[in-house]
Amino acid sequence: SFTHFAVMANVEVESTWFWDWDAKLAAKSQAHADFQKLMRNFIDTEILPHIADWEEAGDYPEDLTAKAYAAGIYAHGLPKEYGGTGDVMDAWSRFIFNDELGRVCAGG
């Protein structure tokens, strides 16, 4: 199990975080909880309802990038002078970002 691995690696973790992280992991800080909610809402409303059609077509709508940018997801963590949000993208934020995107299960 993951808990066994964590003990072997001398790492202290909650035994449930790996598979059931929504309630506890995102709440590591309020900023992380807010970012996870932002990502989940965008994925649930703008991507998941359409992903099967986009996969079939092999493309996605041009306005998706603009929607992601307006939502604060596209370029999250990049400096404002380069068109980013200017928000801090620490390791926890990157985990949340990738985990939420992984829920889409798209081939690309």
Side-chain angles (χ1 to χ4, degrees):
S1 73
F2 180 76
T3 303
H4 177 73
F5 171 77
V7 170
M8 295 298 292
N10 199 24
V11 176
E12 290 186 34
V13 296
E14 290 186 40
S15 61
T16 60
W17 85 267
F18 188 71
W19 298 111
D20 185 19
W21 70 274
D22 291 309
K24 295 179 182 168
L25 176 68
K28 182 162 176 72
S29 75
Q30 189 59 50
H32 290 114
D34 293 345
F35 183 58
Q36 190 268 342
K37 186 176 179 181
L38 174 72
M39 286 293 301
R40 177 148 300 193
N41 183 55
F42 186 82
I43 297 294
D44 287 348
T45 60
E46 300 295 339
I47 296 180
L48 284 176
H50 312 288
I51 195 64
D53 294 333
W54 298 343
E55 287 280 290
E56 184 70 28
D59 201 3
Y60 60 90
E62 289 183 26
D63 69 338
L64 183 62
T65 302
K67 287 179 180 180
Y69 189 80
I73 292 170
Y74 189 84
H76 185 85
L78 293 178
K80 287 185 178 187
E81 60 265 25
Y82 297 112
T85 61
D87 296 317
V88 173
M89 188 74 154
D90 63 1
W92 220 242
S93 297
R94 291 180 196 282
F95 173 79
I96 292 167
F97 185 85
N98 290 318
D99 189 67
E100 289 297 329
L101 283 176
R103 290 187 317 110
V104 175
C105 296

